[in-house]
Every structure is written in structure tokens, then in C-alpha cells.
Amino acid sequence: MTICASEDIPALGSPHRAALTIAADGSYAARLARHADAAGSRFPERWTLSGPEPYAVPLPGHQPEEPDSELLPLADGRVLIRRRIAGHFAFSLLYPAGPGTGELPLGAVAAPELTLLPPAPGGLLGYALAPGPYSTTVWLVTGGTRGPEPVAEVPGRCTGGAWLDRCGRLLALDRELAGRTKTVAVDLERGGETSELLQITEESDDRLLLADPDSGLLIVRSDAPGYDRLGWGVLGSCRPMRFPECLRPAGAVLTPFAVQPGQALTPENCAVAFRIDAPGGTWLGVWRPAERQLRQLPAPDGWLAGAGLWTAEGALLLPYSTHTVPCGVAVPTLPPAPDAGAGRGGVPGGATGCAPGGNPGGIADCALGGIPGGAPWTGGRILVRSPGRDGSPAAGAARRLGDLGHLGRLDELPHLSRGPYGETAPASAYAGAAYAPSGPAEGPARQPRRAPAHPQMCRPVPLQQAPLATREAR
């Protein structure tokens, strides 16, 4: 069934809040459900997804919830709720308690705006984002020692939010500063230290919509081509950012909401699920970078639009709710993934063909021909500046992440070191994107090299401006 829309197509930049939020490990979910009364009042509802069959548990409070209340399910079964009360935001943990609902107040934050961030890896911590006119504060609202506490302050107004690793340390935010929006990486364990993550051109607005820590696949939105387009790249690849024409269907808006995990070395085969909104309704889209088309599928009856979860095996779980099945999960039949023997560019047989215009990848109809005005489009590169032998950034040289000889998993990059408990931690500049011409990586592939634990952070630089001495010495 398609869900009818009574309004025009939403703007490409307008965010969609999913009707159901799924915990980081996929065990629980939560939503604001409606009573069957005439007023249609709302109450929190927790879904259990880890059992043989999904089931829902209502968690009503003493009074109906406001429509702008937000929920975040935790992996232990509790549900974090954010309520706006008289100019501040109050947080509580909800849980089943016999026939009623138990509630543990956590405290409140005074801020003009505040939204919950996506579920953090591990599933036991809850973060919130409070943007201000000049800076943005990241709050740890549950899982700390004394209630809500600020853990980072980032200059500029930040929105969005995507986790870049599996230990909940690196958070990507879309920061508006000096009239431009760029994605930055925030290190929550180093007081909110930031580094540029995504910059396609200096004059473009570049936002990160979705990130997969396993494969490094990034889904972005940028106006670098001259107008807002959806594109993709791989964190750890030397190939440019690409903007497929198939992700620009006429008369519809695409919003990515789930990405297939576990594809560590094959990001081109990593499936991405999209919510498709058009004047005629809302339905489902499935796309892989190695394919040349967006596969559009009907949504199940009662789909909670924008909610879903991929399994590592490639099954897409779509929660739905109808009068006969108030809590259900549909598994649509999807087209098979491309041949595992296909090359990284999506060319069968392992070939490394190039699309017209010099863009590698072999996906001709997904390559962007040029920027309006005749300037050739070569996309952006994701770069990292590796530290020198003494750990100082000045002694290092900018290297393309593709020079590592693989697609660059986050936990294997040379600028990441291991903490005392095996977690990954940035040891120099994280990753940024720069506008650079396409071409093969220089030199042979090298094995990742461990870096000192705490050298100074530095800003990634374009490849053309990087020191050449170290590269020539290789």
C-alpha cells in the first residue's frame, strides 16, 4: 500500500523523522502511538524485535504525550523520552513495571532547541544535540554518572548526526559556519575535537546523510553539481565522489534510512534502502552502488515510513502496523546482490573499467558529466594526513586513503590507533574530502602502519598542496 500524501513534494533539504526508532543492535524499537479515542492522544510504545515474533508493550504516562516528544530505545529494553516543558527539555527513562509504566527522571537541559541523536553504537548511551546561534553542544543525557552532561561544544550551528565507528566515539555532524555547511567529525573522547570530514568544493554545501562503519560507504547530499544531488563515496577510497542519475528520479524525493552492514571489503555491493516521497504517496527504494538503477518496490501495508533495518545477510526488515496486525515486521523479496566476483567499480569479472569522462568505476549512467557552465566534474576525494615518524603532523605527507591497498575500514586506517580496550581512536586528522582530479593512486599498496596514540590534530589538505618529499622518497 502507498501512504497518501496530502501535500506537495517536500523539499530535498527537509528532514523526515521516522515513525519508529530502532535501537542500535536491532533488539528494540519505540514510537509514539495513538489511542483509539476521539482526540487521538499519543503514548510511548516499545517494540521487541529480538524474539521469534515482534510484540509491542505500551508505556503510557500520567498524561498524553505532545506530538514533538522524541523516543530513543536502548539495548537493555528501557526507552529514553525527551519532552519539551516550559522552555527546557526534560529526559526520563521508561520501562514496563507490572501493569503500569515505570519512569526514572534523568534531569533537564535549558536550551532553545534540542533533538535526540541517532542510537549510539553499543545501545546503552543516549546523546542529544542542542544547536545555538554560534556553537552547538552535544549532551550525554543517559549512561553518564550525574544526569545530562555536556561532552562537546562545536563552533557553528550543527544538525544531522551519524556515527562513524562501532565504539561510539566519532560522530559526524553537518556544521553551518560562515554561510556554508560542511560535515565535520567530532571526537567525543577528546573533548569534542573536530576535523573536516566532507568537503567537495569550497563553495558547496555538503551534508552526510548516512554512513556505514563496516564498509565506509557514505551517502551524501551536495549542491556541488550546481543543485542539490544525492551522491556516494567510500571512506578510504581514492575514487571521487559520484552522483548517480538514478538517485534523482523525476517528481520524487529520496531519503536514505538504512544501509546493509557487514560488507567490509565490498562497499559497492552494500545495499541502501530509501524512502521515496512523491505527490502520489510514499514507497520503498533499494539501490547498490554497483548497480545502475534504483529498484522501486511497493511498501507493505501500514509501513512505518522511514523505519527499517538491514541484516548482514541482506534481508530488509520493515516494521508495519495495521488494524489486524498492530505490531509486525515485513521482509520484502529483493533482487539478488551483484556477483561477488565483480570488480570494485562494479564491472563484472573484476575489471576496473572507467566511465565516460574519466571517472573510474564503470557505472556509465551514474557518472555526472559536468558542472553547469562547461567545467568538468571530477568529484571530491577523501584524504588523510598521516603523521611523521616523530608523530608530528608537519613531518607527514598527505596520502590518499586508497594508497592503503584496500578500501580503508575505519578500524584499519593508519591514523587510527587502538585504545586500552581495543577501541579505535584518531591519532591525527580524521578524514576530509577535497576537490581533486581523478587518477590512479601513486605507488604500490602499503600495509597500515600504527601511529602514536596522541599526536596533534591537523586539517587535511588537498592532494595538490601536500608536501612531495615524503611521496618522492617512497
Side-chain angles (χ1 to χ4, degrees), residues 392-416:
S392 62
R399 299 175 59 196
R400 291 185 294 189
L401 298 186
D403 294 343
L404 301 180
H406 53 71
L407 290 175
R409 288 175 54 186
L410 287 172
D411 57 352
E412 294 179 351
L413 300 182
H415 65 295
L416 294 177

PDB file of all heavy atoms in Angstrom, residues 392-416:
ATOM      1  N   SER A 392      54.654  14.133  14.615  1.00  0.00           N
ATOM      2  CA  SER A 392      54.210  15.494  14.323  1.00  0.00           C
ATOM      3  C   SER A 392      53.547  15.547  12.965  1.00  0.00           C
ATOM      4  O   SER A 392      54.019  14.941  12.007  1.00  0.00           O
ATOM      5  CB  SER A 392      55.410  16.444  14.339  1.00  0.00           C
ATOM      6  OG  SER A 392      56.335  16.080  13.322  1.00  0.00           O
ATOM      7  N   PRO A 393      52.444  16.285  12.839  1.00  0.00           N
ATOM      8  CA  PRO A 393      51.777  16.381  11.547  1.00  0.00           C
ATOM      9  C   PRO A 393      52.654  16.999  10.472  1.00  0.00           C
ATOM     10  O   PRO A 393      52.550  16.658   9.313  1.00  0.00           O
ATOM     11  CB  PRO A 393      50.559  17.258  11.856  1.00  0.00           C
ATOM     12  CG  PRO A 393      50.355  17.164  13.332  1.00  0.00           C
ATOM     13  CD  PRO A 393      51.724  16.982  13.898  1.00  0.00           C
ATOM     14  N   ALA A 394      53.538  17.937  10.854  1.00  0.00           N
ATOM     15  CA  ALA A 394      54.353  18.610   9.847  1.00  0.00           C
ATOM     16  C   ALA A 394      55.300  17.658   9.147  1.00  0.00           C
ATOM     17  O   ALA A 394      55.718  17.890   8.021  1.00  0.00           O
ATOM     18  CB  ALA A 394      55.140  19.742  10.502  1.00  0.00           C
ATOM     19  N   ALA A 395      55.672  16.577   9.810  1.00  0.00           N
ATOM     20  CA  ALA A 395      56.618  15.641   9.205  1.00  0.00           C
ATOM     21  C   ALA A 395      55.940  14.665   8.267  1.00  0.00           C
ATOM     22  O   ALA A 395      56.602  13.912   7.587  1.00  0.00           O
ATOM     23  CB  ALA A 395      57.363  14.871  10.299  1.00  0.00           C
ATOM     24  N   GLY A 396      54.609  14.663   8.237  1.00  0.00           N
ATOM     25  CA  GLY A 396      53.899  13.701   7.411  1.00  0.00           C
ATOM     26  C   GLY A 396      53.551  14.280   6.062  1.00  0.00           C
ATOM     27  O   GLY A 396      53.774  15.447   5.765  1.00  0.00           O
ATOM     28  N   ALA A 397      52.995  13.444   5.215  1.00  0.00           N
ATOM     29  CA  ALA A 397      52.559  13.863   3.894  1.00  0.00           C
ATOM     30  C   ALA A 397      51.128  13.440   3.696  1.00  0.00           C
ATOM     31  O   ALA A 397      50.692  12.420   4.211  1.00  0.00           O
ATOM     32  CB  ALA A 397      53.457  13.231   2.820  1.00  0.00           C
ATOM     33  N   ALA A 398      50.391  14.228   2.939  1.00  0.00           N
ATOM     34  CA  ALA A 398      49.005  13.869   2.652  1.00  0.00           C
ATOM     35  C   ALA A 398      48.989  12.639   1.775  1.00  0.00           C
ATOM     36  O   ALA A 398      49.691  12.551   0.776  1.00  0.00           O
ATOM     37  CB  ALA A 398      48.301  15.027   1.956  1.00  0.00           C
ATOM     38  N   ARG A 399      48.185  11.661   2.150  1.00  0.00           N
ATOM     39  CA  ARG A 399      48.089  10.419   1.386  1.00  0.00           C
ATOM     40  C   ARG A 399      46.636  10.143   1.098  1.00  0.00           C
ATOM     41  O   ARG A 399      45.768  10.365   1.922  1.00  0.00           O
ATOM     42  CB  ARG A 399      48.658   9.248   2.192  1.00  0.00           C
ATOM     43  CG  ARG A 399      50.104   9.397   2.554  1.00  0.00           C
ATOM     44  CD  ARG A 399      50.517   8.235   3.452  1.00  0.00           C
ATOM     45  NE  ARG A 399      50.308   6.960   2.775  1.00  0.00           N
ATOM     46  CZ  ARG A 399      50.296   5.801   3.418  1.00  0.00           C
ATOM     47  NH1 ARG A 399      50.450   5.769   4.709  1.00  0.00           N
ATOM     48  NH2 ARG A 399      50.134   4.670   2.751  1.00  0.00           N
ATOM     49  N   ARG A 400      46.376   9.653  -0.081  1.00  0.00           N
ATOM     50  CA  ARG A 400      45.028   9.213  -0.368  1.00  0.00           C
ATOM     51  C   ARG A 400      44.776   7.914   0.369  1.00  0.00           C
ATOM     52  O   ARG A 400      45.635   7.037   0.429  1.00  0.00           O
ATOM     53  CB  ARG A 400      44.857   9.014  -1.876  1.00  0.00           C
ATOM     54  CG  ARG A 400      44.884  10.337  -2.626  1.00  0.00           C
ATOM     55  CD  ARG A 400      44.600  10.134  -4.083  1.00  0.00           C
ATOM     56  NE  ARG A 400      45.667   9.383  -4.720  1.00  0.00           N
ATOM     57  CZ  ARG A 400      45.743   9.218  -6.034  1.00  0.00           C
ATOM     58  NH1 ARG A 400      44.832   9.715  -6.802  1.00  0.00           N
ATOM     59  NH2 ARG A 400      46.725   8.530  -6.559  1.00  0.00           N
ATOM     60  N   LEU A 401      43.562   7.786   0.909  1.00  0.00           N
ATOM     61  CA  LEU A 401      43.270   6.599   1.681  1.00  0.00           C
ATOM     62  C   LEU A 401      43.321   5.365   0.813  1.00  0.00           C
ATOM     63  O   LEU A 401      43.525   4.268   1.286  1.00  0.00           O
ATOM     64  CB  LEU A 401      41.897   6.722   2.343  1.00  0.00           C
ATOM     65  CG  LEU A 401      41.764   7.880   3.342  1.00  0.00           C
ATOM     66  CD1 LEU A 401      40.421   7.786   4.034  1.00  0.00           C
ATOM     67  CD2 LEU A 401      42.875   7.859   4.343  1.00  0.00           C
ATOM     68  N   GLY A 402      43.146   5.534  -0.501  1.00  0.00           N
ATOM     69  CA  GLY A 402      43.239   4.387  -1.392  1.00  0.00           C
ATOM     70  C   GLY A 402      44.638   3.814  -1.469  1.00  0.00           C
ATOM     71  O   GLY A 402      44.835   2.687  -1.908  1.00  0.00           O
ATOM     72  N   ASP A 403      45.671   4.590  -1.073  1.00  0.00           N
ATOM     73  CA  ASP A 403      47.033   4.085  -1.105  1.00  0.00           C
ATOM     74  C   ASP A 403      47.267   2.976  -0.096  1.00  0.00           C
ATOM     75  O   ASP A 403      48.321   2.364  -0.086  1.00  0.00           O
ATOM     76  CB  ASP A 403      48.024   5.220  -0.812  1.00  0.00           C
ATOM     77  CG  ASP A 403      48.021   6.262  -1.913  1.00  0.00           C
ATOM     78  OD1 ASP A 403      47.524   5.933  -3.006  1.00  0.00           O
ATOM     79  OD2 ASP A 403      48.498   7.380  -1.688  1.00  0.00           O
ATOM     80  N   LEU A 404      46.301   2.713   0.768  1.00  0.00           N
ATOM     81  CA  LEU A 404      46.490   1.680   1.776  1.00  0.00           C
ATOM     82  C   LEU A 404      46.384   0.290   1.183  1.00  0.00           C
ATOM     83  O   LEU A 404      46.706  -0.690   1.841  1.00  0.00           O
ATOM     84  CB  LEU A 404      45.448   1.835   2.890  1.00  0.00           C
ATOM     85  CG  LEU A 404      45.477   3.189   3.609  1.00  0.00           C
ATOM     86  CD1 LEU A 404      44.394   3.203   4.667  1.00  0.00           C
ATOM     87  CD2 LEU A 404      46.825   3.430   4.211  1.00  0.00           C
ATOM     88  N   GLY A 405      45.919   0.179  -0.044  1.00  0.00           N
ATOM     89  CA  GLY A 405      45.842  -1.133  -0.670  1.00  0.00           C
ATOM     90  C   GLY A 405      44.531  -1.841  -0.422  1.00  0.00           C
ATOM     91  O   GLY A 405      44.342  -2.969  -0.821  1.00  0.00           O
ATOM     92  N   HIS A 406      43.578  -1.207   0.285  1.00  0.00           N
ATOM     93  CA  HIS A 406      42.252  -1.785   0.473  1.00  0.00           C
ATOM     94  C   HIS A 406      41.276  -0.629   0.573  1.00  0.00           C
ATOM     95  O   HIS A 406      41.652   0.530   0.394  1.00  0.00           O
ATOM     96  CB  HIS A 406      42.184  -2.671   1.719  1.00  0.00           C
ATOM     97  CG  HIS A 406      42.661  -2.002   2.965  1.00  0.00           C
ATOM     98  ND1 HIS A 406      41.941  -0.998   3.578  1.00  0.00           N
ATOM     99  CD2 HIS A 406      43.796  -2.173   3.690  1.00  0.00           C
ATOM    100  CE1 HIS A 406      42.588  -0.599   4.653  1.00  0.00           C
ATOM    101  NE2 HIS A 406      43.710  -1.277   4.738  1.00  0.00           N
ATOM    102  N   LEU A 407      40.042  -0.915   0.857  1.00  0.00           N
ATOM    103  CA  LEU A 407      39.027   0.127   0.845  1.00  0.00           C
ATOM    104  C   LEU A 407      38.957   0.906   2.140  1.00  0.00           C
ATOM    105  O   LEU A 407      38.080   1.724   2.321  1.00  0.00           O
ATOM    106  CB  LEU A 407      37.652  -0.495   0.524  1.00  0.00           C
ATOM    107  CG  LEU A 407      37.538  -0.972  -0.911  1.00  0.00           C
ATOM    108  CD1 LEU A 407      36.212  -1.684  -1.107  1.00  0.00           C
ATOM    109  CD2 LEU A 407      37.654   0.183  -1.884  1.00  0.00           C
ATOM    110  N   GLY A 408      39.858   0.636   3.059  1.00  0.00           N
ATOM    111  CA  GLY A 408      40.018   1.522   4.193  1.00  0.00           C
ATOM    112  C   GLY A 408      38.943   1.430   5.253  1.00  0.00           C
ATOM    113  O   GLY A 408      38.203   2.364   5.459  1.00  0.00           O
ATOM    114  N   ARG A 409      38.819   0.272   5.930  1.00  0.00           N
ATOM    115  CA  ARG A 409      37.893   0.209   7.054  1.00  0.00           C
ATOM    116  C   ARG A 409      38.332   1.183   8.125  1.00  0.00           C
ATOM    117  O   ARG A 409      39.507   1.417   8.348  1.00  0.00           O
ATOM    118  CB  ARG A 409      37.839  -1.204   7.620  1.00  0.00           C
ATOM    119  CG  ARG A 409      37.127  -2.187   6.719  1.00  0.00           C
ATOM    120  CD  ARG A 409      37.214  -3.576   7.285  1.00  0.00           C
ATOM    121  NE  ARG A 409      36.729  -3.611   8.663  1.00  0.00           N
ATOM    122  CZ  ARG A 409      36.814  -4.695   9.436  1.00  0.00           C
ATOM    123  NH1 ARG A 409      37.362  -5.794   8.968  1.00  0.00           N
ATOM    124  NH2 ARG A 409      36.349  -4.670  10.669  1.00  0.00           N
ATOM    125  N   LEU A 410      37.360   1.740   8.847  1.00  0.00           N
ATOM    126  CA  LEU A 410      37.676   2.755   9.836  1.00  0.00           C
ATOM    127  C   LEU A 410      38.653   2.262  10.893  1.00  0.00           C
ATOM    128  O   LEU A 410      39.484   2.998  11.378  1.00  0.00           O
ATOM    129  CB  LEU A 410      36.385   3.224  10.521  1.00  0.00           C
ATOM    130  CG  LEU A 410      35.484   4.117   9.665  1.00  0.00           C
ATOM    131  CD1 LEU A 410      34.176   4.339  10.384  1.00  0.00           C
ATOM    132  CD2 LEU A 410      36.153   5.445   9.399  1.00  0.00           C
ATOM    133  N   ASP A 411      38.539   0.983  11.261  1.00  0.00           N
ATOM    134  CA  ASP A 411      39.410   0.493  12.328  1.00  0.00           C
ATOM    135  C   ASP A 411      40.765   0.025  11.808  1.00  0.00           C
ATOM    136  O   ASP A 411      41.556  -0.504  12.567  1.00  0.00           O
ATOM    137  CB  ASP A 411      38.732  -0.657  13.086  1.00  0.00           C
ATOM    138  CG  ASP A 411      38.354  -1.808  12.167  1.00  0.00           C
ATOM    139  OD1 ASP A 411      38.482  -1.649  10.939  1.00  0.00           O
ATOM    140  OD2 ASP A 411      37.939  -2.858  12.685  1.00  0.00           O
ATOM    141  N   GLU A 412      41.051   0.228  10.497  1.00  0.00           N
ATOM    142  CA  GLU A 412      42.335  -0.202   9.960  1.00  0.00           C
ATOM    143  C   GLU A 412      43.125   0.941   9.339  1.00  0.00           C
ATOM    144  O   GLU A 412      44.180   0.722   8.777  1.00  0.00           O
ATOM    145  CB  GLU A 412      42.113  -1.292   8.904  1.00  0.00           C
ATOM    146  CG  GLU A 412      41.535  -2.580   9.474  1.00  0.00           C
ATOM    147  CD  GLU A 412      41.301  -3.618   8.391  1.00  0.00           C
ATOM    148  OE1 GLU A 412      41.432  -3.267   7.211  1.00  0.00           O
ATOM    149  OE2 GLU A 412      41.005  -4.770   8.745  1.00  0.00           O
ATOM    150  N   LEU A 413      42.605   2.166   9.405  1.00  0.00           N
ATOM    151  CA  LEU A 413      43.305   3.279   8.810  1.00  0.00           C
ATOM    152  C   LEU A 413      44.541   3.610   9.638  1.00  0.00           C
ATOM    153  O   LEU A 413      44.549   3.473  10.843  1.00  0.00           O
ATOM    154  CB  LEU A 413      42.380   4.493   8.718  1.00  0.00           C
ATOM    155  CG  LEU A 413      41.120   4.292   7.871  1.00  0.00           C
ATOM    156  CD1 LEU A 413      40.320   5.577   7.829  1.00  0.00           C
ATOM    157  CD2 LEU A 413      41.469   3.842   6.473  1.00  0.00           C
ATOM    158  N   PRO A 414      45.606   4.123   8.996  1.00  0.00           N
ATOM    159  CA  PRO A 414      46.840   4.368   9.743  1.00  0.00           C
ATOM    160  C   PRO A 414      46.715   5.495  10.745  1.00  0.00           C
ATOM    161  O   PRO A 414      47.511   5.598  11.651  1.00  0.00           O
ATOM    162  CB  PRO A 414      47.837   4.732   8.631  1.00  0.00           C
ATOM    163  CG  PRO A 414      46.999   5.262   7.522  1.00  0.00           C
ATOM    164  CD  PRO A 414      45.719   4.471   7.578  1.00  0.00           C
ATOM    165  N   HIS A 415      45.708   6.379  10.580  1.00  0.00           N
ATOM    166  CA  HIS A 415      45.579   7.467  11.536  1.00  0.00           C
ATOM    167  C   HIS A 415      44.738   7.061  12.728  1.00  0.00           C
ATOM    168  O   HIS A 415      44.417   7.886  13.558  1.00  0.00           O
ATOM    169  CB  HIS A 415      44.954   8.686  10.856  1.00  0.00           C
ATOM    170  CG  HIS A 415      43.551   8.457  10.398  1.00  0.00           C
ATOM    171  ND1 HIS A 415      43.248   7.556   9.418  1.00  0.00           N
ATOM    172  CD2 HIS A 415      42.376   9.000  10.787  1.00  0.00           C
ATOM    173  CE1 HIS A 415      41.947   7.565   9.201  1.00  0.00           C
ATOM    174  NE2 HIS A 415      41.395   8.415  10.032  1.00  0.00           N
ATOM    175  N   LEU A 416      44.367   5.791  12.821  1.00  0.00           N
ATOM    176  CA  LEU A 416      43.624   5.313  13.971  1.00  0.00           C
ATOM    177  C   LEU A 416      44.512   4.410  14.802  1.00  0.00           C
ATOM    178  O   LEU A 416      45.237   3.576  14.269  1.00  0.00           O
ATOM    179  CB  LEU A 416      42.377   4.535  13.532  1.00  0.00           C
ATOM    180  CG  LEU A 416      41.289   5.348  12.816  1.00  0.00           C
ATOM    181  CD1 LEU A 416      40.175   4.413  12.379  1.00  0.00           C
ATOM    182  CD2 LEU A 416      40.746   6.426  13.712  1.00  0.00           C
TER     183      LEU A 416
END
